[in-house]
Structure formats: structure tokens, C-alpha cells
């Protein structure tokens, strides 16, 4: 290809936020990339827009919601997001969470319209870790199964950094007795 043709093609390339983010991630070393993912992976789920800006975070609501066993952080975050943003916006957002959303939370994420979920530890591994904890009688059903039953796409990325995510969960459940 001639240099003039290459120049014309490069001038036609639009630097979208997604392309800029992809270029930035490609330039990172493996350790830097892992560190970037760790920043996103906290014990509390975070909703981020398409440019990676955190929009909202949610802690577990069991205690603050008066012992409500359905007050999982991911469900509460999905409900808040559904009230705050329209479907078109949420379809471009990502929910980052340390553990794979359970079936209930995956349903809430789907109904809210959040377009992507990135998680650390699988629901199966969380079940093995917490056992028959009264606050977490885990449904061992992958969120991909719930999302696949829906009519709009929900991208799932995970598991990522399972050991680190398992440690976050261990620290959380240690405080729960």
C-alpha cells in the first residue's frame, strides 16, 4: 500500500473512546493490566460508563435493609441504575463485581439493561467457600445461563483474578460470623 493511501486511511480512523481504551490497554504490560483490573475489582460492585468512569457503587444491604436476604449488592445496584439511567445508556455500561452475580442478581442486571458484567470469582467457587451460610444460600447457576434466556445481550467477562476475588469474599464473610 502506498504511503498516501495509508495516510488517507489513518485520517479516516476515528478515535472513539473504546478505541482509545483498547490502545491504552494494549500498551500496558501484563502486570500493569492485572493492576488495572484489580482497581475495578472491589468487594462492592461498581457500575461504570463506557469510558470506565465509576457511576455508582453499592455495598451489601442485608443489615441496612433490615435483614432482607434479597438485598444483595448487585441487585440493589441494578435497581438504582434502572431508576437513574435509561436503557440505551445502561446497555453501554459495565457492572464490575468480585463474585459472579447469583441468579436473582443476574435477573435484576438483565431487567435494568446493564450491557456487560465483569466478575472475579464464580458462583460455584463462592458456594464452596461460604458453605451453607444463612445469608448466602447460593444458587449454583451461572449468570450466563440467566442472561442467555433473555432477549437482549448481556456480555459476561469472567472469572478474572479468582484468588484475589476469593480473598475479598473471605474478608467480607469473616465479618458475617
Amino acid at each position: 500500500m502506498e504511503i498516501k493511501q495509508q495516510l488517507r486511511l489513518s485520517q479516516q480512523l476515528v478515535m472513539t473512546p473504546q478505541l482509545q481504551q483498547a490502545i491504552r490497554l494494549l500498551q500496558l504490560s501484563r502486570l500493569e493490566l492485572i493492576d488495572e483490573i484489580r482497581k475495578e475489582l472491589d468487594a462492592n460492585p461498581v457500575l461504570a460508563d463506557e469510558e470506565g468512569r465509576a457511576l455508582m457503587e453499592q455495598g451489601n444491604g442485608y443489615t441496612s435493609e433490615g435483614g432482607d436476604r434479597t438485598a444483595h449488592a448487585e441487585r440493589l445496584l441494578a435497581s438504582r441504575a434502572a431508576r437513574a439511567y435509561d436503557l440505551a445508556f445502561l446497555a453501554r455500561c459495565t457492572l464490575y463485581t468480585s463474585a459472579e452475580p447469583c441468579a436473582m442478581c443476574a435477573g435484576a442486571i438483565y431487567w435494568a439493561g446493564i450491557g456487560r458484567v465483569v466478575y472475579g470469582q464464580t458462583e460455584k467457587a463462592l458456594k464452596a467457600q461460604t458453605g451453607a451460610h444463612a445469608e448466602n444460600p447460593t444458587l449454583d447457576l451461572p449468570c450466563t445461563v440467566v442472561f442467555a434466556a433473555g432477549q437482549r445481550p448481556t456480555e459476561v467477562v469472567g472469572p478474572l483474578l479468582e484468588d484475589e476475588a476469593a480473598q475479598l469474599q473471605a474478608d467480607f464473610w469473616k465479618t458475617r460470623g
Side-chain angles (χ1 to χ4, degrees), residues 32-89:
E32 289 171 324
L33 180 57
I34 288 170
D35 193 47
E36 285 291 308
I37 293 169
R38 276 194 185 122
K39 287 178 190 173
E40 300 295 343
L41 188 64
D42 194 359
N44 294 331
V46 174
L47 181 69
D49 67 14
E50 65 185 323
E51 294 180 18
R53 289 185 298 254
L55 301 172
M56 54 179 66
E57 179 179 358
Q58 178 68 52
N60 188 301
Y62 178 78
T63 303
S64 65
E65 297 291 325
D68 181 355
R69 289 175 300 282
T70 69
H72 294 190
E74 294 83 0
R75 186 195 63 76
L76 294 173
L77 182 62
S79 294
R80 285 179 51 215
R83 289 189 301 273
Y85 304 105
D86 65 34
L87 280 171
F89 180 77

Side-chain angles (χ1 to χ4, degrees), residues 2 14 24 38 55 58 80 126 137 151 169 171:
E2 292 181 30
V14 177
R24 188 178 74 74
R38 276 194 185 122
L55 301 172
Q58 178 68 52
R80 285 179 51 215
L126 180 61
Q151 295 178 338
Q169 290 294 328
D171 293 345

Side-chain angles (χ1 to χ4, degrees), residues 11-12 18 25 34 36 54 57 59 63 130 137 157:
Q11 290 171 340
Q12 294 171 1
Q18 295 87 349
L25 290 175
I34 288 170
E36 285 291 308
E57 179 179 358
T63 303
T130 61
V157 179

Side-chain angles (χ1 to χ4, degrees), residues 7-170:
L7 182 58
R8 277 195 301 273
L9 286 174
S10 67
Q11 290 171 340
Q12 294 171 1
L13 183 64
V14 177
M15 290 299 283
T16 65
Q18 295 87 349
L19 183 56
Q20 290 172 344
Q21 176 73 355
I23 290 169
R24 188 178 74 74
L25 290 175
L26 287 171
Q27 292 170 338
L28 296 176
S29 72
R30 186 174 190 282
L31 290 176
E32 289 171 324
L33 180 57
I34 288 170
D35 193 47
E36 285 291 308
I37 293 169
R38 276 194 185 122
K39 287 178 190 173
E40 300 295 343
L41 188 64
D42 194 359
N44 294 331
V46 174
L47 181 69
D49 67 14
E50 65 185 323
E51 294 180 18
R53 289 185 298 254
L55 301 172
M56 54 179 66
E57 179 179 358
Q58 178 68 52
N60 188 301
Y62 178 78
T63 303
S64 65
E65 297 291 325
D68 181 355
R69 289 175 300 282
T70 69
H72 294 190
E74 294 83 0
R75 186 195 63 76
L76 294 173
L77 182 62
S79 294
R80 285 179 51 215
R83 289 189 301 273
Y85 304 105
D86 65 34
L87 280 171
F89 180 77
L90 286 173
R92 298 185 311 271
C93 290
T94 301
L95 188 147
Y96 294 93
T97 185
S98 59
E100 179 178 15
C102 71
M104 174 186 66
C105 293
I109 291 164
Y110 171 80
W111 284 108
I114 298 168
R116 181 169 52 175
V117 173
V118 176
Y119 70 88
Q121 183 182 34
T122 65
E123 182 74 355
K124 184 179 213 62
L126 180 61
K127 180 181 178 184
Q129 183 178 17
T130 61
H133 195 287
E135 288 181 43
N136 194 41
T138 302
L139 287 168
D140 185 7
L141 180 68
C143 67
T144 54
V145 173
V146 175
F147 295 137
Q151 295 178 338
R152 65 174 161 252
T154 304
E155 179 185 358
V156 177
V157 179
L160 299 172
L161 302 170
E162 283 193 272
D163 293 339
E164 291 86 343
Q167 186 58 56
L168 288 172
Q169 290 294 328

